[in-house]
Amino acid sequence: MGGSSFSSDQSVAHATATAQMVPVGGRVRLTSIQGKGATNGSIIFRSGGATGNVIATYLFDTEGLDMYLPGNGILFEDGIHATIANTAGVTITFT
């Protein structure tokens, strides 16, 4: 004997324009981000809706964005809103 099973419920959201990706009203942890490559691409993540607190900003170019966030990811106290510029799409995973 000696081992434990660990699991985590993951969900996925995709957006092609600025959007509320995870509804306000609850805590959530962002665990990965993928952004389609484009010149001067950017994603600004906020907690609390479109005018909420900026939690993270990612800038990228034609190489795109592909990040897996270590540990428990990034905590958002009130949903996840993404302001998306110069990219055709963003996909996130979250718990």
Side-chain angles (χ1 to χ4, degrees):
M1 304 198 182
S4 297
S5 176
F6 298 94
S7 65
S8 172
D9 294 328
Q10 295 282 316
S11 296
V12 177
H14 180 78
T16 57
T18 295
Q20 186 69 41
M21 296 187 77
V22 179
V24 295
R27 290 170 43 111
V28 62
R29 291 186 179 273
L30 181 63
T31 57
S32 78
I33 310 159
Q34 293 179 314
K36 185 164 177 64
T39 302
N40 296 320
S42 68
I43 308 166
I44 300 170
F45 290 107
R46 297 176 187 271
S47 182
T51 60
N53 295 328
V54 173
I55 303 298
T57 300
Y58 294 92
L59 306 174
F60 53 95
D61 211 67
T62 55
E63 76 281 1
L65 179 66
D66 190 7
M67 295 188 64
Y68 296 93
L69 303 166
N72 292 322
I74 300 172
L75 176 63
F76 289 73
E77 292 285 348
D78 195 11
I80 300 175
H81 182 276
T83 302
I84 300 166
N86 299 327
T87 183
V90 174
T91 301
I92 63 170
T93 56
F94 57 94
T95 59

XYZ file of all heavy atoms in Angstrom:
676
model
N 0.843 -1.168 0.000
C 0.000 0.000 0.000
C 0.887 1.231 0.000
O 1.952 1.212 0.497
C -0.874 0.015 1.225
C -1.697 -1.193 1.362
S -3.021 -0.906 2.475
C -3.695 -2.508 2.416
N 0.474 2.195 -0.473
C 1.250 3.412 -0.417
C 0.968 4.254 -1.622
O 1.426 4.266 -2.555
N 0.198 4.884 -1.831
C -0.054 5.704 -2.987
C -1.429 6.292 -2.826
O -2.280 5.714 -2.192
N -1.560 7.374 -3.369
C -2.854 8.034 -3.333
C -3.219 8.450 -4.730
O -2.370 8.597 -5.594
C -2.804 9.276 -2.442
O -2.519 8.916 -1.121
N -4.450 8.610 -4.941
C -4.916 9.074 -6.231
C -5.316 10.533 -6.092
O -6.063 10.897 -5.192
C -6.121 8.239 -6.674
O -6.632 8.734 -7.880
N -4.771 11.343 -6.950
C -5.092 12.765 -6.937
C -5.846 13.098 -8.208
O -5.523 12.604 -9.274
C -3.822 13.611 -6.860
C -3.046 13.366 -5.607
C -2.024 12.442 -5.587
C -3.347 14.043 -4.444
C -1.309 12.198 -4.435
C -2.645 13.807 -3.288
C -1.617 12.888 -3.273
N -6.843 13.922 -8.100
C -7.559 14.334 -9.302
C -8.044 15.765 -9.128
O -8.142 16.277 -8.022
C -8.748 13.411 -9.575
O -9.707 13.532 -8.554
N -8.332 16.362 -10.242
C -8.799 17.735 -10.251
C -9.789 17.875 -11.389
O -9.516 17.440 -12.502
C -7.615 18.676 -10.459
O -8.061 19.981 -10.656
N -10.934 18.448 -11.121
C -11.908 18.679 -12.174
C -11.478 19.893 -12.972
O -11.366 20.989 -12.433
C -13.298 18.923 -11.580
C -13.837 17.688 -10.884
O -13.520 16.570 -11.326
O -14.579 17.851 -9.911
N -11.224 19.691 -14.252
C -10.821 20.778 -15.136
C -11.976 21.114 -16.064
O -12.713 20.235 -16.488
C -9.617 20.359 -15.991
C -8.353 20.088 -15.215
C -7.644 21.359 -14.814
O -7.506 22.287 -15.595
N -7.177 21.401 -13.588
N -12.106 22.370 -16.402
C -13.069 22.821 -17.401
C -12.310 23.628 -18.435
O -11.214 24.114 -18.180
C -14.158 23.683 -16.756
O -14.915 22.924 -15.843
N -12.916 23.792 -19.604
C -12.278 24.500 -20.710
C -13.232 25.558 -21.243
O -14.442 25.337 -21.321
C -11.911 23.518 -21.849
C -11.307 24.250 -23.031
C -10.970 22.442 -21.346
N -12.680 26.719 -21.619
C -13.469 27.774 -22.260
C -12.664 28.323 -23.438
O -11.435 28.360 -23.397
C -13.786 28.889 -21.270
N -13.365 28.738 -24.479
C -12.726 29.304 -25.670
C -13.442 30.599 -26.035
O -14.666 30.695 -25.930
C -12.797 28.318 -26.839
C -12.162 28.846 -28.075
N -10.799 28.856 -28.254
C -12.695 29.400 -29.179
C -10.529 29.395 -29.434
N -11.665 29.733 -30.013
N -12.668 31.587 -26.464
C -13.251 32.852 -26.906
C -12.487 33.353 -28.127
O -11.282 33.148 -28.237
C -13.187 33.892 -25.796
N -13.201 33.999 -29.035
C -12.577 34.594 -30.215
C -12.589 36.120 -30.145
O -12.090 36.777 -31.054
C -13.293 34.130 -31.497
O -14.672 34.466 -31.411
C -13.133 32.629 -31.697
N -13.141 36.659 -29.079
C -13.172 38.104 -28.846
C -13.259 38.329 -27.338
O -13.490 37.389 -26.574
C -14.382 38.726 -29.536
N -13.091 39.554 -26.896
C -13.187 39.892 -25.482
C -14.470 39.313 -24.898
O -15.538 39.456 -25.481
C -13.141 41.423 -25.316
O -11.858 41.868 -25.752
C -13.392 41.844 -23.887
N -14.334 38.619 -23.740
C -15.493 37.915 -23.180
C -15.301 37.590 -21.712
O -14.177 37.510 -21.211
C -15.725 36.619 -23.945
N -16.428 37.353 -21.041
C -16.427 36.796 -19.696
C -16.302 35.284 -19.884
O -17.251 34.624 -20.262
C -17.725 37.162 -18.963
C -17.758 36.744 -17.521
C -16.795 37.545 -16.666
O -16.649 38.748 -16.822
N -16.136 36.867 -15.740
N -15.122 34.737 -19.643
C -14.871 33.328 -19.947
C -15.366 32.395 -18.851
O -15.745 31.264 -19.129
C -13.390 33.107 -20.235
C -12.936 33.869 -21.484
S -11.263 33.495 -21.997
C -11.511 31.885 -22.774
N -15.344 32.854 -17.594
C -15.886 32.105 -16.465
C -16.766 33.083 -15.699
O -16.307 34.180 -15.349
C -14.767 31.545 -15.557
C -15.356 30.798 -14.374
C -13.826 30.651 -16.346
N -18.028 32.744 -15.443
C -18.964 33.694 -14.829
C -18.463 34.283 -13.511
O -17.785 33.604 -12.737
C -20.223 32.863 -14.589
C -20.125 31.725 -15.542
C -18.659 31.442 -15.695
N -18.826 35.540 -13.261
C -18.528 36.157 -11.975
C -19.368 35.456 -10.908
O -20.369 34.832 -11.205
C -18.802 37.686 -11.976
C -17.875 38.403 -12.928
C -20.237 37.982 -12.294
N -18.924 35.570 -9.686
C -19.688 34.991 -8.591
C -19.008 33.820 -7.924
O -19.565 33.220 -7.013
N -17.804 33.468 -8.343
C -17.127 32.357 -7.694
C -15.633 32.363 -7.924
O -15.133 32.963 -8.879
N -14.926 31.700 -7.017
C -13.475 31.558 -7.141
C -13.152 30.522 -8.206
O -13.850 29.529 -8.349
C -12.884 31.100 -5.811
C -12.928 32.130 -4.734
C -12.563 31.549 -3.373
N -11.441 30.650 -3.385
C -10.258 30.910 -2.836
N -10.057 32.055 -2.220
N -9.285 30.034 -2.869
N -12.051 30.765 -8.924
C -11.621 29.849 -9.973
C -10.107 29.974 -10.123
O -9.535 31.016 -9.826
C -12.363 30.154 -11.305
C -12.047 31.536 -11.807
C -12.084 29.121 -12.353
N -9.470 28.896 -10.539
C -8.021 28.906 -10.764
C -7.727 28.622 -12.224
O -8.135 27.591 -12.752
C -7.327 27.880 -9.882
C -7.381 28.268 -8.419
C -6.552 27.315 -7.570
N -6.600 27.704 -6.184
C -5.778 28.591 -5.620
N -4.851 29.176 -6.337
N -5.887 28.886 -4.350
N -7.013 29.537 -12.858
C -6.587 29.391 -14.245
C -5.373 28.467 -14.267
O -4.393 28.712 -13.580
C -6.226 30.772 -14.809
C -5.769 30.862 -16.249
C -6.883 30.423 -17.202
C -5.343 32.287 -16.568
N -5.437 27.382 -15.058
C -4.351 26.406 -15.062
C -3.605 26.308 -16.387
O -2.483 25.809 -16.407
C -4.870 25.014 -14.657
O -5.930 24.621 -15.538
C -5.379 25.021 -13.224
N -4.194 26.742 -17.487
C -3.448 26.806 -18.748
C -4.085 27.805 -19.697
O -5.266 28.126 -19.578
C -3.343 25.436 -19.425
O -4.533 25.089 -20.087
N -3.253 28.300 -20.631
C -3.691 29.311 -21.601
C -3.089 28.964 -22.956
O -1.896 28.647 -23.043
C -3.176 30.713 -21.226
C -3.471 31.059 -19.782
C -3.723 31.767 -22.178
C -2.587 32.159 -19.234
N -3.885 29.059 -23.993
C -3.392 28.951 -25.363
C -3.968 30.112 -26.162
O -5.174 30.359 -26.113
C -3.810 27.639 -26.009
C -3.149 26.425 -25.376
C -3.604 25.140 -26.006
O -4.788 24.941 -26.225
N -2.659 24.279 -26.303
N -3.105 30.817 -26.863
C -3.528 31.926 -27.710
C -2.990 31.725 -29.112
O -1.815 31.407 -29.284
N -3.834 31.891 -30.104
C -3.415 31.736 -31.494
C -2.448 32.852 -31.858
O -2.687 34.010 -31.560
C -4.629 31.752 -32.415
C -4.299 31.484 -33.868
C -5.547 31.126 -34.629
C -5.268 30.931 -36.099
N -4.389 29.841 -36.407
N -1.350 32.492 -32.510
C -0.308 33.443 -32.862
C -0.783 34.529 -33.818
O -1.517 34.256 -34.762
N -0.377 35.749 -33.548
C -0.681 36.901 -34.392
C 0.258 38.034 -33.987
O 0.729 38.082 -32.853
C -2.123 37.337 -34.222
N 0.524 38.939 -34.888
C 1.393 40.072 -34.578
C 0.777 40.919 -33.473
O -0.386 41.286 -33.538
C 1.614 40.919 -35.844
O 2.178 40.081 -36.853
C 2.554 42.076 -35.577
N 1.558 41.195 -32.446
C 1.146 42.029 -31.308
C -0.093 41.503 -30.585
O -0.967 42.281 -30.188
C 0.917 43.481 -31.753
C 2.181 44.123 -32.248
O 3.249 43.926 -31.677
N 2.086 44.867 -33.328
N -0.173 40.197 -30.378
C -1.293 39.618 -29.642
C -1.203 39.945 -28.158
O -0.114 40.098 -27.602
N -2.366 40.060 -27.523
C -2.377 40.277 -26.073
C -3.657 39.731 -25.458
O -4.701 39.693 -26.101
C -2.233 41.764 -25.724
O -3.379 42.479 -26.115
N -3.518 39.312 -24.207
C -4.663 38.855 -23.411
C -4.496 39.465 -22.027
O -3.442 39.327 -21.405
C -4.717 37.331 -23.283
C -4.644 36.658 -24.650
C -5.983 36.907 -22.545
C -4.362 35.173 -24.570
N -5.538 40.138 -21.566
C -5.541 40.692 -20.216
C -6.643 39.968 -19.451
O -7.811 40.012 -19.843
C -5.812 42.209 -20.223
C -4.723 42.930 -21.032
C -5.888 42.756 -18.791
C -5.034 44.386 -21.302
N -6.267 39.291 -18.375
C -7.230 38.562 -17.547
C -7.595 39.400 -16.331
O -6.724 39.933 -15.648
C -6.651 37.225 -17.088
C -6.497 36.224 -18.196
C -5.250 35.914 -18.696
C -7.606 35.599 -18.744
C -5.101 34.985 -19.711
C -7.470 34.670 -19.766
C -6.209 34.365 -20.255
N -8.899 39.490 -16.062
C -9.414 40.254 -14.923
C -10.321 39.375 -14.068
O -10.986 38.483 -14.578
C -10.230 41.453 -15.394
C -9.455 42.473 -16.190
C -10.407 43.577 -16.689
N -9.744 44.493 -17.580
C -9.109 45.581 -17.198
N -9.077 45.911 -15.928
N -8.526 46.348 -18.082
N -10.370 39.691 -12.802
C -11.316 39.076 -11.875
C -12.363 40.131 -11.543
O -12.016 41.274 -11.245
C -10.588 38.631 -10.606
O -11.484 37.985 -9.728
N -13.644 39.773 -11.646
C -14.703 40.728 -11.323
C -15.318 41.389 -12.543
O -15.937 42.436 -12.426
N -15.142 40.820 -13.712
C -15.774 41.356 -14.917
C -14.869 42.284 -15.710
O -13.681 42.441 -15.416
N -15.460 42.938 -16.700
C -14.714 43.762 -17.658
C -13.980 44.937 -17.028
O -12.986 45.414 -17.574
C -15.661 44.265 -18.743
N -14.451 45.411 -15.890
C -13.785 46.535 -15.222
C -13.141 46.113 -13.909
O -12.740 46.954 -13.107
C -14.785 47.681 -14.962
O -15.844 47.190 -14.135
C -15.354 48.217 -16.269
N -13.019 44.807 -13.707
C -12.450 44.282 -12.466
C -10.940 44.430 -12.394
O -10.306 45.061 -13.249
N -10.369 43.812 -11.383
C -8.928 43.886 -11.134
C -8.154 43.089 -12.170
O -8.471 41.923 -12.425
C -8.590 43.338 -9.747
C -9.183 44.173 -8.646
O -9.330 45.381 -8.781
N -9.542 43.522 -7.548
N -7.110 43.705 -12.734
C -6.223 42.985 -13.654
C -5.391 42.007 -12.830
O -4.712 42.404 -11.874
C -5.306 43.952 -14.428
C -4.276 43.182 -15.248
C -6.127 44.872 -15.320
N -5.457 40.736 -13.210
C -4.704 39.692 -12.514
C -3.445 39.319 -13.291
O -2.395 39.100 -12.706
C -5.582 38.440 -12.293
C -6.851 38.804 -11.507
C -4.798 37.331 -11.609
C -6.613 39.347 -10.116
N -3.548 39.247 -14.615
C -2.394 38.863 -15.433
C -2.535 39.433 -16.839
O -3.641 39.520 -17.371
C -2.267 37.351 -15.492
N -1.405 39.796 -17.428
C -1.355 40.284 -18.806
C -0.315 39.472 -19.562
O 0.802 39.283 -19.071
C -0.955 41.771 -18.849
O -1.933 42.532 -18.124
C -0.879 42.287 -20.273
N -0.683 38.991 -20.745
C 0.231 38.218 -21.583
C 0.341 38.875 -22.949
O -0.671 39.194 -23.571
C -0.265 36.773 -21.741
C -0.238 36.028 -20.434
C -1.361 35.992 -19.614
C 0.913 35.393 -20.006
C -1.332 35.328 -18.403
C 0.950 34.728 -18.794
C -0.177 34.701 -18.000
O -0.139 34.051 -16.801
N 1.574 39.091 -23.389
C 1.862 39.657 -24.696
C 2.603 38.599 -25.513
O 3.492 37.925 -24.983
C 2.739 40.912 -24.558
C 2.199 41.999 -23.624
C 3.230 43.109 -23.481
C 0.876 42.543 -24.134
N 2.255 38.465 -26.784
C 2.905 37.465 -27.629
C 2.832 37.910 -29.071
O 2.212 38.911 -29.402
C 2.272 36.088 -27.430
C 0.773 36.072 -27.595
C 0.198 35.724 -28.811
C -0.068 36.409 -26.546
C -1.177 35.720 -28.968
C -1.438 36.404 -26.691
C -1.996 36.053 -27.910
N 3.480 37.168 -29.930
C 3.538 37.530 -31.339
C 3.108 36.313 -32.164
O 2.307 35.503 -31.691
C 4.959 38.011 -31.687
C 4.965 39.048 -32.792
O 4.460 40.166 -32.574
O 5.470 38.722 -33.885
N 3.649 36.190 -33.338
C 3.221 35.122 -34.255
C 3.495 33.724 -33.706
O 2.894 32.760 -34.175
C 3.904 35.281 -35.621
O 5.318 35.325 -35.427
C 3.449 36.558 -36.311
N 4.375 33.604 -32.701
C 4.647 32.290 -32.101
C 3.471 31.788 -31.264
O 3.390 30.621 -30.920
C 5.922 32.338 -31.241
C 5.761 33.019 -29.896
C 5.784 34.545 -29.932
O 5.912 35.144 -31.018
O 5.662 35.144 -28.843
N 2.553 32.660 -30.895
C 1.401 32.281 -30.085
C 1.756 32.172 -28.615
O 2.857 32.511 -28.184
N 0.817 31.687 -27.854
C 0.965 31.552 -26.407
C 0.499 30.170 -26.015
O -0.606 29.742 -26.380
C 0.109 32.621 -25.703
C 0.105 32.647 -24.194
C 1.491 33.030 -23.668
C -0.930 33.630 -23.681
N 1.328 29.444 -25.289
C 0.990 28.092 -24.830
C 1.623 27.911 -23.460
O 2.803 27.624 -23.347
C 1.515 27.058 -25.820
C 0.990 25.665 -25.541
O 0.109 25.505 -24.672
O 1.466 24.726 -26.212
N 0.832 28.136 -22.400
C 1.362 28.112 -21.038
C 0.558 27.171 -20.151
O -0.660 27.195 -20.153
C 1.303 29.505 -20.411
C 2.174 30.511 -21.085
S 2.223 32.037 -20.146
C 3.004 31.485 -18.649
N 1.291 26.373 -19.405
C 0.698 25.562 -18.352
C 1.180 26.171 -17.047
O 2.375 26.305 -16.830
C 1.105 24.101 -18.495
C 0.560 23.523 -19.768
C 1.310 23.533 -20.937
C -0.739 23.023 -19.820
C 0.791 23.047 -22.118
C -1.267 22.532 -21.005
C -0.493 22.540 -22.148
O -1.012 22.067 -23.317
N 0.271 26.552 -16.195
C 0.612 27.262 -14.968
C 0.854 26.256 -13.845
O -0.014 25.446 -13.544
C -0.498 28.248 -14.628
C -0.772 29.237 -15.768
C -2.074 29.965 -15.572
C 0.379 30.197 -15.925
N 2.019 26.295 -13.230
C 2.396 25.292 -12.229
C 1.595 25.410 -10.935
O 0.937 26.415 -10.687
C 3.880 25.588 -11.994
C 4.030 27.025 -12.319
C 3.040 27.307 -13.419
N 1.728 24.385 -10.140
C 1.065 24.379 -8.837
C -0.446 24.409 -8.985
O -1.025 23.645 -9.739
N -1.073 25.320 -8.298
C -2.524 25.448 -8.341
C -3.009 26.472 -9.352
O -4.165 26.852 -9.342
C -3.063 25.817 -6.949
C -2.885 24.697 -5.963
O -3.045 23.539 -6.302
N -2.535 25.037 -4.738
N -2.128 26.978 -10.210
C -2.528 27.968 -11.188
C -2.653 29.353 -10.570
O -2.118 29.634 -9.505
N -3.371 30.232 -11.265
C -3.569 31.613 -10.805
C -4.993 31.752 -10.275
O -5.951 31.426 -10.974
C -3.349 32.613 -11.957
C -1.925 32.496 -12.506
C -3.623 34.038 -11.477
C -1.698 33.321 -13.762
N -5.126 32.240 -9.057
C -6.434 32.388 -8.414
C -7.146 33.655 -8.883
O -6.569 34.746 -8.889
C -6.271 32.444 -6.892
C -7.547 32.699 -6.097
C -8.549 31.557 -6.288
C -7.210 32.888 -4.625
N -8.404 33.498 -9.264
C -9.306 34.603 -9.583
C -10.454 34.517 -8.578
O -11.149 33.501 -8.519
C -9.844 34.477 -11.013
C -8.818 34.751 -12.075
C -7.817 33.831 -12.336
C -8.853 35.923 -12.806
C -6.863 34.067 -13.308
C -7.901 36.180 -13.785
C -6.904 35.250 -14.035
N -10.655 35.556 -7.797
C -11.677 35.538 -6.743
C -13.102 35.658 -7.273
O -14.046 35.268 -6.607
C -11.422 36.674 -5.738
C -10.169 36.493 -4.904
C -10.317 35.441 -3.822
O -11.435 34.978 -3.542
O -9.278 35.068 -3.252
N -13.260 36.193 -8.518
C -14.607 36.494 -9.006
C -14.719 36.276 -10.522
O -14.919 37.218 -11.281
C -14.941 37.943 -8.638
C -16.428 38.249 -8.760
O -17.234 37.312 -8.932
O -16.785 39.440 -8.697
N -14.586 35.028 -10.958
C -14.695 34.708 -12.382
C -13.473 35.144 -13.167
O -12.527 35.718 -12.621
N -13.468 34.854 -14.485
C -12.359 35.238 -15.362
C -12.902 35.971 -16.577
O -13.694 35.418 -17.352
C -11.548 34.018 -15.839
C -10.943 33.260 -14.660
C -10.448 34.456 -16.815
C -10.222 31.979 -15.045
N -12.472 37.209 -16.739
C -12.787 37.999 -17.924
C -11.502 38.153 -18.725
O -10.438 38.397 -18.152
C -13.311 39.388 -17.544
C -13.679 40.201 -18.734
N -12.743 40.928 -19.452
C -14.856 40.382 -19.362
C -13.347 41.524 -20.460
N -14.641 41.217 -20.419
N -11.578 37.994 -20.054
C -10.406 38.147 -20.908
C -10.624 39.254 -21.922
O -11.599 39.221 -22.675
C -10.107 36.837 -21.624
N -9.735 40.231 -21.919
C -9.698 41.252 -22.956
C -8.682 40.767 -23.982
O -7.498 40.624 -23.665
C -9.281 42.618 -22.388
O -10.210 42.982 -21.361
C -9.270 43.684 -23.473
N -9.160 40.479 -25.181
C -8.366 39.826 -26.212
C -8.123 40.809 -27.354
O -9.062 41.434 -27.841
C -9.114 38.581 -26.732
C -9.353 37.604 -25.579
C -8.374 37.935 -27.883
C -10.358 36.524 -25.893
N -6.855 40.929 -27.782
C -6.523 41.827 -28.895
C -5.549 41.140 -29.854
O -4.606 40.463 -29.423
C -5.910 43.116 -28.373
N -5.788 41.309 -31.125
C -4.896 40.833 -32.183
C -4.602 39.337 -32.117
O -3.485 38.905 -32.344
C -3.588 41.623 -32.189
C -3.818 43.084 -32.435
O -4.737 43.471 -33.150
N -3.002 43.921 -31.832
N -5.594 38.540 -31.790
C -5.473 37.101 -31.855
C -6.830 36.519 -32.230
O -7.867 37.067 -31.857
C -4.956 36.483 -30.542
O -4.796 35.080 -30.713
C -5.860 36.757 -29.367
N -6.806 35.433 -32.978
C -8.062 34.844 -33.468
C -8.766 34.000 -32.422
O -9.938 33.656 -32.589
C -7.779 34.008 -34.713
N -8.090 33.650 -31.337
C -8.762 32.840 -30.336
C -7.892 32.543 -29.135
O -6.667 32.500 -29.221
N -8.562 32.334 -27.997
C -7.925 31.998 -26.738
C -8.676 30.834 -26.113
O -9.912 30.832 -26.079
C -7.941 33.196 -25.761
C -7.412 32.813 -24.402
C -7.172 34.359 -26.346
N -7.931 29.840 -25.638
C -8.514 28.715 -24.922
C -7.856 28.642 -23.548
O -6.643 28.743 -23.437
C -8.271 27.392 -25.681
O -8.843 27.499 -26.981
C -8.895 26.212 -24.950
N -8.694 28.487 -22.507
C -8.169 28.353 -21.151
C -8.695 27.068 -20.520
O -9.756 26.572 -20.895
C -8.536 29.554 -20.254
C -10.055 29.669 -20.083
C -7.930 30.843 -20.807
C -10.494 30.683 -19.023
N -7.934 26.535 -19.578
C -8.443 25.490 -18.702
C -8.432 26.062 -17.290
O -7.575 26.886 -16.945
C -7.630 24.181 -18.759
O -6.271 24.456 -18.467
C -7.736 23.532 -20.132
N -9.392 25.611 -16.478
C -9.524 26.164 -15.134
C -10.196 25.142 -14.219
O -10.827 24.207 -14.676
C -10.324 27.473 -15.160
C -11.698 27.338 -15.761
C -12.809 27.107 -14.951
C -11.895 27.431 -17.133
C -14.074 26.982 -15.503
C -13.151 27.314 -17.691
C -14.244 27.087 -16.872
N -9.995 25.341 -12.927
C -10.658 24.496 -11.929
C -11.523 25.356 -11.036
O -11.309 26.536 -10.893
C -9.642 23.747 -11.038
O -8.810 24.691 -10.379
C -8.803 22.802 -11.844
